[in-house]
Amino acid sequence: MDRLANTVRPYAWGSATAIPELLGQQATGEPQAELWMGAHPGAPSRVDRGDGPQSLAELIAADPQRELGAEAVGKFGPELPFLLKVLAAGKPLSIQAHPDLDQARAGYADEEARGIPADAPHRNYKDANHKPELVCALDEFEGLCGFRPPAESAALLESLGVPALTPLIELLRNKPEAEALGTALATVLSMTGEQAAETVARTAAAVELAAAADPEGQFGGYARAAREFPGDTGLLAALLLNHVRLQPGEALYLGAGVPHAYLRGVGIEILANSDNVLRGGFTPKHVDVPELLRVVRLQGGRPEILRPPVSDDGEQLYPVPIDEFRLSRYRLGAEPRTLGGDAPQILLCTDGTAELTAADGSTLTLARGESAFLPATAGPTTLTGDGALLFRATVTL
């Protein structure tokens, strides 16, 4: 077992207080957006096995069979296939969608062939991998996820009373679903000039009035985003998406092509190792509308909120349709819990104090905000800690 030393990413949208509070540290006043746990080359965790701090990525690369296990290496390759994060959103993130595996491979190969530099601001594909993700709320977490049914979007837009939105409303009501959603998204993200500025401004004002009339309703999230990104046509795209509010312990799975944006809150996020993002508003970064339309899933519906029951062994598993990551949590009590040891695992304590006991009798104590890496060869690990809340990230073999 290895205690992890992790990196905090200071993105501008991050909360200034949530991650320092979790870690028991003094806030600096600067945004702290994400705490990364894993072996992603952008900010790998560090461990110390007696010879000083070492990158977890380097440790795995030196002996992937020992650290990940032969079965995981055979299935996913010689790298940890997931990244675990604490995500603390003080401001809205960009509206975005991620490609599936075939789209990522094709997009990456195309941009490589065209010689687009890896750090170019207009580059879409940083790697050839997909980026499914799951977010589990630690406190009330607000976001946007997936398209509403077109008729619902039309009714929502009509309720704002903005005449300039009438063509969009008629489109959503009168065209087949995929055509309606695709054309609506392309239309709002391609708007420019004075007419676009006036339409967004009038819509933002209407959203503010709706939020004031119903402070607990969905319009508050849209209003905050509109204030953060004045004049951004992403507001119109956001109104096409489902508004979601997660309570602690609830989660969302976001597969390929699902448009989404996190608006505020603190959550545990786990994702496949990729940095491929197609953006659609609420951002000063590159927005490639044709490529976004190529990967986005033009299907309306309600997102499924995951509320896993407690199993006989105390595990609450969040089911996902992929194998690269598997997230669950344990609320530890008087009865010890035992984890299998045939796959790489990262454990994160978010409440109380957890005691980990390895097969060889060695122990490791995790306080709130602390995490550990368990290599595949560690053997069974026993968990104790009355009242502690522990998240477990691993793979499915």
Side-chain angles (χ1 to χ4, degrees):
M1 298 182 292
D2 300 287
R3 186 183 304 279
L4 295 178
N6 304 307
T7 298
V8 175
R9 308 308 295 263
Y11 306 135
W13 49 262
S15 164
T17 58
I19 289 178
E21 181 181 339
L22 177 69
L23 299 177
Q25 299 174 352
Q26 188 72 31
T28 65
E30 298 299 317
Q32 298 192 24
E34 295 180 346
L35 178 71
W36 284 24
M37 290 155 282
H40 191 285
S45 300
R46 300 168 302 284
V47 303
D48 189 342
R49 292 184 175 175
D51 299 320
Q54 184 179 6
S55 158
L56 181 60
E58 294 174 353
L59 197 71
I60 291 172
D63 194 347
Q65 298 277 343
R66 180 187 185 281
E67 306 298 336
L68 306 178
E71 191 172 355
V73 171
K75 187 169 185 176
F76 307 112
E79 298 177 345
L80 189 67
F82 64 83
L83 174 64
L84 183 67
K85 301 179 181 179
V86 176
L87 183 147
K91 299 178 181 179
L93 282 68
S94 62
I95 300 170
Q96 57 190 260
H98 309 300
D100 63 26
L101 194 54
D102 289 339
Q103 291 166 339
R105 288 170 175 168
Y108 180 76
D110 173 66
E111 292 187 339
E112 286 287 284
R114 288 190 284 138
I116 301 176
D119 58 353
H122 63 288
R123 174 122 188 187
N124 293 316
Y125 295 93
K126 305 298 178 65
D127 53 68
N129 199 14
H130 63 166
K131 192 187 177 186
E133 58 191 55
L134 180 139
V135 62
C136 175
L138 285 183
D139 63 9
E140 187 175 83
F141 194 92
E142 191 175 3
L144 308 174
C145 180
F147 286 109
R148 301 173 188 271
E152 290 188 15
S153 289
L156 182 75
L157 294 175
E158 188 173 50
S159 74
L160 295 174
V162 178
L165 297 178
T166 299
L168 197 61
I169 294 167
E170 294 302 316
L171 168 68
L172 290 166
R173 283 189 170 143
N174 297 318
K175 296 292 184 182
E177 181 174 80
E179 181 183 352
L181 294 174
T183 305
L185 185 62
T187 298
V188 300
L189 294 182
S190 302
M191 293 171 62
T192 58
E194 292 184 9
Q195 184 177 4
E198 183 176 352
T199 300
V200 173
R202 290 184 180 277
T203 303
V207 165
E208 288 282 6
L209 287 175
D214 184 12
E216 301 302 317
Q218 62 183 327
F219 283 108
Y222 294 114
R224 285 192 299 275
R227 290 193 293 269
E228 289 294 334
F229 299 96
D232 193 321
T233 57
L235 173 62
L236 306 179
L239 290 165
L240 302 175
L241 306 183
N242 291 290
H243 177 269
V244 181
R245 188 176 281 121
L246 300 178
Q247 298 305 314
E250 295 180 339
L252 281 175
Y253 172 73
L254 302 161
V258 176
H260 62 279
Y262 300 145
L263 299 178
R264 65 173 179 88
V266 183
I268 302 299
E269 185 183 35
I270 189 168
L271 59 150
N273 263 333
S274 174
D275 197 24
N276 290 325
V277 180
L278 283 304
R279 296 178 177 85
F282 293 160
T283 179
K285 296 182 179 180
H286 176 59
V287 175
D288 186 336
V289 176
E291 191 63 17
L292 174 65
L293 291 171
R294 194 177 75 84
V295 307
V296 76
R297 208 168 136 200
L298 298 172
Q299 180 179 341
R302 299 282 186 180
E304 180 185 6
I305 296 178
L306 304 177
R307 303 179 182 94
V310 180
S311 65
D312 291 342
D313 63 0
E315 185 179 38
Q316 291 180 277
L317 174 65
Y318 296 93
V320 295
I322 60 162
D323 294 339
E324 285 96 327
F325 62 72
R326 180 186 188 279
L327 184 73
S328 60
R329 69 177 200 162
Y330 292 82
R331 177 65 76 175
L332 300 178
E335 183 180 350
R337 303 296 184 184
T338 300
L339 306 181
D342 59 345
Q345 304 178 65
I346 292 178
L347 303 181
L348 168 66
C349 181
T350 61
D351 190 23
T353 301
E355 186 85 9
L356 281 55
T357 303
D360 63 4
S362 61
T363 62
L364 182 64
T365 300
L366 296 182
R368 188 169 184 260
E370 293 184 331
S371 56
F373 173 69
L374 278 58
T377 52
T381 300
T382 302
L383 312 176
T384 55
D386 197 14
L389 182 60
L390 197 72
F391 282 84
R392 178 196 190 195
T394 184
V395 298
T396 297
L397 298 176

PDB file of all heavy atoms in Angstrom, residues 48-64:
ATOM      1  N   ASP A  48       6.207   7.071  -2.000  1.00  0.00           N
ATOM      2  CA  ASP A  48       7.544   6.928  -1.421  1.00  0.00           C
ATOM      3  C   ASP A  48       7.657   5.534  -0.813  1.00  0.00           C
ATOM      4  O   ASP A  48       7.020   5.231   0.192  1.00  0.00           O
ATOM      5  CB  ASP A  48       7.778   7.994  -0.347  1.00  0.00           C
ATOM      6  CG  ASP A  48       9.231   8.040   0.133  1.00  0.00           C
ATOM      7  OD1 ASP A  48       9.957   7.056  -0.092  1.00  0.00           O
ATOM      8  OD2 ASP A  48       9.626   9.054   0.736  1.00  0.00           O
ATOM      9  N   ARG A  49       8.473   4.683  -1.448  1.00  0.00           N
ATOM     10  CA  ARG A  49       8.690   3.326  -0.949  1.00  0.00           C
ATOM     11  C   ARG A  49      10.033   3.189  -0.249  1.00  0.00           C
ATOM     12  O   ARG A  49      10.612   2.105  -0.186  1.00  0.00           O
ATOM     13  CB  ARG A  49       8.576   2.325  -2.096  1.00  0.00           C
ATOM     14  CG  ARG A  49       7.150   2.217  -2.637  1.00  0.00           C
ATOM     15  CD  ARG A  49       6.990   1.163  -3.707  1.00  0.00           C
ATOM     16  NE  ARG A  49       5.579   1.022  -4.097  1.00  0.00           N
ATOM     17  CZ  ARG A  49       5.148   0.254  -5.078  1.00  0.00           C
ATOM     18  NH1 ARG A  49       6.029  -0.457  -5.800  1.00  0.00           N
ATOM     19  NH2 ARG A  49       3.861   0.186  -5.366  1.00  0.00           N
ATOM     20  N   GLY A  50      10.510   4.307   0.257  1.00  0.00           N
ATOM     21  CA  GLY A  50      11.747   4.282   1.028  1.00  0.00           C
ATOM     22  C   GLY A  50      12.930   4.918   0.349  1.00  0.00           C
ATOM     23  O   GLY A  50      13.963   5.158   0.987  1.00  0.00           O
ATOM     24  N   ASP A  51      12.781   5.230  -0.939  1.00  0.00           N
ATOM     25  CA  ASP A  51      13.880   5.840  -1.685  1.00  0.00           C
ATOM     26  C   ASP A  51      13.563   7.266  -2.109  1.00  0.00           C
ATOM     27  O   ASP A  51      14.153   7.795  -3.046  1.00  0.00           O
ATOM     28  CB  ASP A  51      14.192   5.007  -2.939  1.00  0.00           C
ATOM     29  CG  ASP A  51      14.630   3.596  -2.589  1.00  0.00           C
ATOM     30  OD1 ASP A  51      15.383   3.439  -1.612  1.00  0.00           O
ATOM     31  OD2 ASP A  51      14.182   2.655  -3.271  1.00  0.00           O
ATOM     32  N   GLY A  52      12.608   7.880  -1.432  1.00  0.00           N
ATOM     33  CA  GLY A  52      12.205   9.226  -1.790  1.00  0.00           C
ATOM     34  C   GLY A  52      11.000   9.224  -2.704  1.00  0.00           C
ATOM     35  O   GLY A  52      10.614   8.185  -3.253  1.00  0.00           O
ATOM     36  N   PRO A  53      10.377  10.377  -2.901  1.00  0.00           N
ATOM     37  CA  PRO A  53       9.177  10.472  -3.732  1.00  0.00           C
ATOM     38  C   PRO A  53       9.436  10.028  -5.172  1.00  0.00           C
ATOM     39  O   PRO A  53      10.475  10.334  -5.750  1.00  0.00           O
ATOM     40  CB  PRO A  53       8.815  11.961  -3.671  1.00  0.00           C
ATOM     41  CG  PRO A  53       9.469  12.464  -2.440  1.00  0.00           C
ATOM     42  CD  PRO A  53      10.732  11.675  -2.293  1.00  0.00           C
ATOM     43  N   GLN A  54       8.462   9.306  -5.722  1.00  0.00           N
ATOM     44  CA  GLN A  54       8.565   8.811  -7.090  1.00  0.00           C
ATOM     45  C   GLN A  54       7.203   8.912  -7.753  1.00  0.00           C
ATOM     46  O   GLN A  54       6.167   8.678  -7.126  1.00  0.00           O
ATOM     47  CB  GLN A  54       9.046   7.357  -7.093  1.00  0.00           C
ATOM     48  CG  GLN A  54       9.277   6.766  -8.479  1.00  0.00           C
ATOM     49  CD  GLN A  54       9.774   5.327  -8.423  1.00  0.00           C
ATOM     50  OE1 GLN A  54       9.841   4.723  -7.363  1.00  0.00           O
ATOM     51  NE2 GLN A  54      10.107   4.783  -9.582  1.00  0.00           N
ATOM     52  N   SER A  55       7.193   9.263  -9.030  1.00  0.00           N
ATOM     53  CA  SER A  55       5.953   9.342  -9.776  1.00  0.00           C
ATOM     54  C   SER A  55       5.295   7.970  -9.870  1.00  0.00           C
ATOM     55  O   SER A  55       5.952   6.964 -10.167  1.00  0.00           O
ATOM     56  CB  SER A  55       6.245   9.883 -11.184  1.00  0.00           C
ATOM     57  OG  SER A  55       5.234   9.521 -12.091  1.00  0.00           O
ATOM     58  N   LEU A  56       3.979   7.923  -9.637  1.00  0.00           N
ATOM     59  CA  LEU A  56       3.260   6.656  -9.778  1.00  0.00           C
ATOM     60  C   LEU A  56       3.319   6.176 -11.224  1.00  0.00           C
ATOM     61  O   LEU A  56       3.391   4.968 -11.470  1.00  0.00           O
ATOM     62  CB  LEU A  56       1.810   6.827  -9.325  1.00  0.00           C
ATOM     63  CG  LEU A  56       0.923   5.579  -9.380  1.00  0.00           C
ATOM     64  CD1 LEU A  56       1.480   4.465  -8.505  1.00  0.00           C
ATOM     65  CD2 LEU A  56      -0.517   5.912  -8.966  1.00  0.00           C
ATOM     66  N   ALA A  57       3.332   7.097 -12.171  1.00  0.00           N
ATOM     67  CA  ALA A  57       3.437   6.713 -13.579  1.00  0.00           C
ATOM     68  C   ALA A  57       4.761   6.012 -13.853  1.00  0.00           C
ATOM     69  O   ALA A  57       4.817   4.994 -14.561  1.00  0.00           O
ATOM     70  CB  ALA A  57       3.298   7.947 -14.470  1.00  0.00           C
ATOM     71  N   GLU A  58       5.852   6.523 -13.282  1.00  0.00           N
ATOM     72  CA  GLU A  58       7.165   5.900 -13.469  1.00  0.00           C
ATOM     73  C   GLU A  58       7.224   4.550 -12.782  1.00  0.00           C
ATOM     74  O   GLU A  58       7.822   3.599 -13.295  1.00  0.00           O
ATOM     75  CB  GLU A  58       8.259   6.820 -12.932  1.00  0.00           C
ATOM     76  CG  GLU A  58       8.410   8.127 -13.714  1.00  0.00           C
ATOM     77  CD  GLU A  58       9.400   9.071 -13.079  1.00  0.00           C
ATOM     78  OE1 GLU A  58       9.878   8.770 -11.955  1.00  0.00           O
ATOM     79  OE2 GLU A  58       9.700  10.111 -13.686  1.00  0.00           O
ATOM     80  N   LEU A  59       6.615   4.461 -11.607  1.00  0.00           N
ATOM     81  CA  LEU A  59       6.598   3.203 -10.861  1.00  0.00           C
ATOM     82  C   LEU A  59       5.875   2.116 -11.655  1.00  0.00           C
ATOM     83  O   LEU A  59       6.352   0.982 -11.760  1.00  0.00           O
ATOM     84  CB  LEU A  59       5.894   3.434  -9.524  1.00  0.00           C
ATOM     85  CG  LEU A  59       6.096   2.396  -8.430  1.00  0.00           C
ATOM     86  CD1 LEU A  59       7.510   2.462  -7.888  1.00  0.00           C
ATOM     87  CD2 LEU A  59       5.097   2.636  -7.301  1.00  0.00           C
ATOM     88  N   ILE A  60       4.734   2.467 -12.252  1.00  0.00           N
ATOM     89  CA  ILE A  60       3.982   1.499 -13.048  1.00  0.00           C
ATOM     90  C   ILE A  60       4.751   1.126 -14.305  1.00  0.00           C
ATOM     91  O   ILE A  60       4.810  -0.046 -14.693  1.00  0.00           O
ATOM     92  CB  ILE A  60       2.590   2.065 -13.378  1.00  0.00           C
ATOM     93  CG1 ILE A  60       1.737   2.136 -12.106  1.00  0.00           C
ATOM     94  CG2 ILE A  60       1.895   1.218 -14.443  1.00  0.00           C
ATOM     95  CD1 ILE A  60       0.411   2.862 -12.286  1.00  0.00           C
ATOM     96  N   ALA A  61       5.355   2.121 -14.961  1.00  0.00           N
ATOM     97  CA  ALA A  61       6.101   1.852 -16.196  1.00  0.00           C
ATOM     98  C   ALA A  61       7.275   0.912 -15.953  1.00  0.00           C
ATOM     99  O   ALA A  61       7.632   0.106 -16.825  1.00  0.00           O
ATOM    100  CB  ALA A  61       6.595   3.167 -16.798  1.00  0.00           C
ATOM    101  N   ALA A  62       7.873   0.980 -14.756  1.00  0.00           N
ATOM    102  CA  ALA A  62       9.027   0.142 -14.443  1.00  0.00           C
ATOM    103  C   ALA A  62       8.640  -1.321 -14.272  1.00  0.00           C
ATOM    104  O   ALA A  62       9.446  -2.216 -14.566  1.00  0.00           O
ATOM    105  CB  ALA A  62       9.715   0.657 -13.177  1.00  0.00           C
ATOM    106  N   ASP A  63       7.415  -1.599 -13.816  1.00  0.00           N
ATOM    107  CA  ASP A  63       6.987  -2.987 -13.615  1.00  0.00           C
ATOM    108  C   ASP A  63       5.462  -3.060 -13.670  1.00  0.00           C
ATOM    109  O   ASP A  63       4.789  -3.257 -12.651  1.00  0.00           O
ATOM    110  CB  ASP A  63       7.493  -3.511 -12.268  1.00  0.00           C
ATOM    111  CG  ASP A  63       7.374  -5.026 -12.142  1.00  0.00           C
ATOM    112  OD1 ASP A  63       6.683  -5.638 -12.988  1.00  0.00           O
ATOM    113  OD2 ASP A  63       7.970  -5.595 -11.204  1.00  0.00           O
ATOM    114  N   PRO A  64       4.876  -2.924 -14.858  1.00  0.00           N
ATOM    115  CA  PRO A  64       3.413  -2.910 -14.949  1.00  0.00           C
ATOM    116  C   PRO A  64       2.757  -4.201 -14.492  1.00  0.00           C
ATOM    117  O   PRO A  64       1.650  -4.172 -13.945  1.00  0.00           O
ATOM    118  CB  PRO A  64       3.157  -2.642 -16.438  1.00  0.00           C
ATOM    119  CG  PRO A  64       4.439  -2.934 -17.137  1.00  0.00           C
ATOM    120  CD  PRO A  64       5.520  -2.662 -16.152  1.00  0.00           C
TER     121      PRO A  64
END
